[in-house]
């Protein structure tokens, strides 16, 4: 019996010692440096456990990390039920100082505080935050310490502060509101809805110019609405985004979180093409609506575009740097109108383009059907020279074959009617400099007239190549006056080559 009593006494003494170590002030003072050292071993920054209180029914601690971060938690607890009911307060004056801890460069202050209540089976966290100067409240449930569901409201999150916070250039400013209701946070079986509103957006031109070499207008505003449905591993969004330059809408922008892939339809409307000058470096008039699809995945980008425009249709396909374009039955007059170029030729055009956007090399083939030269300076000059009006001729099939090197286009032109033939070899159009340098050889009946077109694309100088014309006339005279036997002789060949 005395052994039993001895064992009971020993157990009671051990329990008393454990209680004294764990749940009394002297015991807490003994545990505090041990816990502080354990935290220091896990955190790659100076840490200081300023407060540590652990009692059978309550707890409190205050942890200082570095000079800028303080974490405080306190409340009641039930050892038997393994539950807590407490509050927390996180105050970070400069996120950049926590880079070693979080493994990412962040900037600016961050604060959050709230309540935590529950046990291992179900823990509920309700809090508020000022992330990116917003008014944010969130409600998170943990089951077995794994996130189960989330509801959150974010009001007036500042875009410029958010970009600075995630260490990105401040490309824009504006406000974002978010209303999220996510009953399932299981990454394999997501379920929920997120509504996002973007307002008072304004693009900052300087960082855009620096990073993307685009001269964005200084007053470019934007706003939009995004409605997202979470299902399985996918986030499926309806997007309605507006700027003064363009409107972009999608019905099902789908991002697969597991695969890291994105696919979407889109409709883009540009009400004033001239507003795209900062991208195209080309003044234009008119409007356009483009529809298509985009798919991206690891090492893959695939996109299509379609538009009914200029009296015809435009279709494009982009795949990993390769661009294929097909244009059907567009009106050339409408095209020159859009580009603000003078009217030269009226026809329907079919065009195919193959272009490597990485190498900036490509080819283009165009066929212009049932075309007519329109009255212009060149037609007037030809009429003066040949006493012939080429605007009355019909060119059933005109071909243009172009080689593209960056922004330089070199083209061969062939067009033929019953009484005329017009050709050009290696004509140059420089889209960057907006210049043209081309010689047109016009054969009217038996007369050849070279015409030089040179200067600014919008208003080139057009003139007869007098030196070339004299050569052509000399050839005609040789053909007319030389006897047939001389023409066929080596001397005749030499004379032809000379001229």
């Amino acid at each position: 019996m005395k052994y039993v009593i001895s064992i009971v006494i020993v157990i009671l003494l051990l329990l008393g010692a454990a209680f004294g170590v764990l749940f009394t002030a002297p015991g807490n003072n003994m545990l505090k440096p041990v816990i502080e050292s354990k935290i220091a071993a896990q955190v790659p920054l100076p840490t200081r456990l300023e407060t540590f209180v652990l009692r059978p029914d309550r707890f409190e601690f205050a942890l200082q990390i570095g000079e800028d971060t303080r974490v405080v938690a306190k409340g009641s607890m039930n050892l038997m039920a393994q539950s807590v009911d407490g509050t927390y307060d996180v105050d970070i004056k400069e996120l950049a100082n926590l880079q070693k801890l979080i493994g990412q460069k962040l900037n600016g202050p961050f604060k959050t505080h709230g309540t935590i209540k529950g046990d291992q089976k179900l823990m509920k966290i309700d809090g508020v935050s000022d992330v990116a100067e917003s008014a944010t409240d969130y409600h998170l449930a943990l089951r077995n310490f794994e996130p189960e569901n989330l509801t959150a409201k974010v009001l007036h999150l500042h875009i410029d502060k958010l970009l600075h916070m995630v260490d990105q250039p401040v490309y824009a400013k504006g406000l974002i509101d978010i209303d999220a209701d996510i009953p399932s946070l299981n990454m394999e079986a997501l379920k929920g809805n997120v509504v996002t509103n973007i307002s008072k957006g304004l693009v900052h031109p300087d960082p855009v110019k620096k990073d993307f070499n685009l001269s964005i207008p200084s007053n470019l505003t934007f706003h939009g609405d995004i409605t997202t449905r979470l299902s399985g591993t996918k986030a499926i969004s309806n997007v309605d985004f507006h700027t003064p330059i363009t409107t972009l809408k999608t019905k099902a922008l789908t991002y697969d979180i597991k695969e890291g892939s994105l696919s979407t339809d889109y409709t883009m409307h540009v009400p004033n093409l001239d507003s795209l000058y900062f991208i195209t470096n080309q003044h234009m008039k008119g409007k356009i609506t483009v529809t298509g699809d985009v798919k991206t995945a690891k090492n893959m980008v695939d996109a299509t575009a379609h538009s009914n425009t200029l009296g015809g249709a435009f279709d494009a396909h982009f795949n990993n740097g390769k661009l294929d374009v097909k244009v059907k039955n567009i009106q050339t007059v409408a095209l020159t109108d859009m580009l603000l170029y003078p009217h030269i030729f009226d026809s329907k055009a079919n065009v195919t383009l193959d272009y490597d956007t990485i190498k900036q090399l490509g080819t283009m083939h165009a066929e212009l059907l049932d075309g007519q030269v329109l009255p212009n300076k060149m037609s007037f000059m030809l009429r003066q020279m040949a006493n012939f009006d080429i605007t009355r001729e019909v060119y059933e099939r005109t071909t243009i074959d172009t080689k593209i090197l960056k922004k330089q286009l070199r083209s061969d032109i062939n067009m033929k009617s019953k009484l005329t033939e017009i050709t050009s070899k290696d004509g140059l159009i420089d889209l960057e400099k907006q210049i043209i340098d081309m010689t047109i050889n016009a054969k009217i009946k038996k007369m050849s007239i070279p015409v030089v077109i040179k200067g600014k694309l919008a208003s080139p100088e057009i003139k007869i190549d007098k030196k070339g014309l004299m050569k052509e006339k000399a050839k005609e005279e040789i053909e007319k006056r030389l006897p047939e036997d001389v023409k066929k002789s080596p001397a005749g060949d030499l004379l032809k080559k000379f001229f």
Side-chain angles (χ1 to χ4, degrees):
M1 185 66 181
K2 67 178 181 179
Y3 292 110
V4 174
I5 295 172
S6 299
I7 292 171
V8 170
I9 292 172
V10 170
I11 293 172
L12 289 173
L13 287 172
L14 290 173
L15 288 173
F19 187 93
V21 171
L22 290 175
F23 303 116
T24 64
N28 288 175
N29 289 334
M30 291 175 60
L31 283 174
K32 183 180 176 182
V34 177
I35 295 173
E36 198 170 40
S37 64
K38 292 290 185 183
I39 294 172
Q42 298 295 320
V43 178
L45 291 169
T47 59
R48 186 169 65 255
L49 191 59
E50 294 182 340
T51 303
F52 177 73
V53 176
L54 185 63
R55 299 291 186 268
D57 59 346
R58 63 187 176 89
F59 67 92
E60 180 180 355
F61 72 84
L63 178 66
Q64 184 76 26
I65 303 175
E67 297 299 323
D68 301 311
T69 300
R70 182 176 173 82
V71 181
V72 177
K74 60 183 178 179
S76 62
M77 66 180 186
N78 187 320
L79 287 176
M80 300 300 294
Q82 294 185 334
S83 64
V84 297
D85 185 354
T87 63
Y88 63 91
D89 191 334
V90 179
D91 185 357
I92 304 172
K93 291 183 172 56
E94 181 50 66
L95 285 162
N97 295 331
L98 297 181
Q99 184 174 358
K100 291 182 179 180
L101 176 62
I102 59 182
Q104 183 179 348
K105 176 69 182 301
L106 299 176
N107 301 300
F110 174 78
K111 290 182 180 180
T112 183
H113 66 270
T115 64
I116 181 168
K117 185 175 183 178
D119 54 24
Q120 179 177 343
K121 292 180 180 179
L122 182 63
M123 187 80 68
K124 292 184 177 181
I125 302 172
D126 299 311
V128 297
S129 172
D130 67 347
V131 58
E133 295 190 2
S134 68
T136 297
D137 67 81
Y138 54 90
H139 311 279
L140 175 67
L142 306 177
R143 190 171 294 277
N144 297 319
F145 300 120
E146 293 291 334
E148 182 179 59
N149 61 65
L150 170 70
T151 60
K153 288 185 181 295
V154 181
L155 295 177
H156 295 167
L157 183 145
H158 287 63
I159 295 174
D160 54 340
K161 301 299 181 183
L162 179 63
L163 289 169
H164 174 68
M165 180 179 176
V166 297
D167 200 41
Q168 293 297 311
V170 182
Y171 296 119
K173 68 178 183 179
L175 301 175
I176 298 177
D177 294 340
I178 301 172
D179 190 349
D181 182 9
I182 308 173
S184 173
L185 286 171
N186 184 336
M187 297 307 292
E188 296 291 332
L190 288 169
K191 183 180 179 181
N193 296 284
V194 180
V195 177
T196 304
N197 172 262
I198 305 169
S199 62
K200 298 182 180 180
L202 179 67
V203 177
H204 290 163
D206 290 344
V208 175
K209 175 67 175 178
K210 180 181 177 181
D211 290 352
F212 304 103
N213 196 29
L214 286 176
S215 299
I216 297 287
S218 59
N219 58 347
L220 182 59
T221 60
F222 60 90
H223 66 275
D225 294 288
I226 305 169
T227 303
T228 302
R229 177 172 58 88
L230 301 176
S231 178
T233 62
K234 297 178 180 178
I236 305 162
S237 299
N238 179 294
V239 178
D240 187 3
F241 188 78
H242 298 263
T243 77
I245 293 175
T246 184
T247 297
L248 177 67
K249 295 184 179 183
T250 75
K251 295 178 181 178
L253 188 155
T254 303
Y255 180 70
D256 192 313
I257 299 168
K258 185 177 181 180
E259 301 292 333
S261 62
L262 180 145
S263 64
T264 184
D265 65 294
Y266 70 89
T267 298
M268 183 177 67
H269 178 65
V270 181
N272 179 11
L273 286 168
D274 201 47
S275 65
L276 298 178
Y277 179 79
F278 70 94
I279 298 174
T280 63
N281 199 34
Q282 169 69 54
H283 286 294
M284 294 183 282
K285 73 174 183 178
K287 59 185 179 181
I288 194 169
T289 298
V290 181
T291 61
D293 299 284
V294 178
K295 295 179 182 178
T296 66
K298 188 177 181 180
N299 300 322
M300 188 276 287
V301 177
D302 188 273
T304 64
H306 170 81
S307 180
N308 294 318
T309 183
L310 304 175
F314 164 93
D315 286 281
H317 181 213
F318 177 88
N319 183 267
N320 285 359
K322 300 294 180 64
L323 176 65
D324 300 315
V325 177
K326 295 186 185 301
V327 178
K328 294 181 180 179
N329 295 326
I330 65 166
Q331 298 287 343
T332 57
V333 169
L335 176 61
T336 51
D337 262 344
M338 183 187 78
L339 297 174
L340 301 175
Y341 293 159
H343 295 170
I344 296 175
F345 199 67
D346 183 13
S347 74
K348 287 187 175 181
N350 296 315
V351 182
T352 59
L353 168 70
D354 296 307
Y355 186 69
D356 189 319
T357 61
I358 299 172
K359 296 179 181 178
Q360 298 185 44
L361 296 171
T363 60
M364 181 175 68
H365 175 74
E367 292 189 2
L368 290 72
L369 307 176
D370 299 324
Q372 283 186 284
V373 175
L374 297 174
N376 59 71
K377 187 175 180 180
M378 186 181 79
S379 67
F380 176 77
M381 293 172 69
L382 292 175
R383 186 172 183 175
Q384 294 289 98
M385 294 294 300
N387 194 27
F388 185 88
D389 188 359
I390 65 170
T391 64
R392 296 181 179 180
E393 294 291 290
V394 175
Y395 297 85
E396 293 183 358
R397 181 173 178 269
T398 297
T399 62
I400 304 173
D401 289 290
T402 302
K403 294 180 180 178
I404 304 170
L405 173 59
K406 295 185 178 179
K407 292 189 176 183
Q408 288 192 345
L409 284 65
R410 293 192 175 273
S411 301
D412 296 339
I413 301 173
N414 289 281
M415 50 195 298
K416 193 172 184 179
S417 69
K418 289 182 178 179
L419 299 175
T420 69
E421 183 177 357
I422 298 174
T423 61
S424 177
K425 190 75 173 175
D426 202 31
L428 171 66
I429 293 178
D430 192 313
L431 296 175
E432 185 171 9
K433 297 178 180 179
Q434 288 288 294
I435 60 171
I436 183 172
D437 188 354
M438 182 180 295
T439 299
I440 301 287
N441 295 305
K443 290 185 178 179
I444 301 173
K445 296 181 180 179
K446 293 184 178 181
M447 185 177 184
S448 294
I449 303 174
V451 179
V452 175
I453 303 174
K454 192 171 185 177
K456 294 181 179 180
L457 270 175
S459 56
E461 182 184 4
I462 302 173
K463 62 182 181 181
I464 302 295
D465 182 359
K466 294 180 180 179
K467 187 180 292 185
L469 181 61
M470 291 176 63
K471 284 187 177 182
E472 291 295 331
K473 286 187 175 181
K475 285 182 181 179
E476 290 176 12
E477 289 297 319
I478 289 171
E479 288 289 332
K480 187 187 298 184
R481 298 182 182 279
L482 278 180
E484 286 298 320
D485 57 339
V486 176
K487 287 181 185 178
K488 297 176 182 179
S489 69
D493 291 336
L494 183 61
L495 283 170
K496 291 177 187 177
K497 290 178 181 178
F498 178 76
F499 288 102

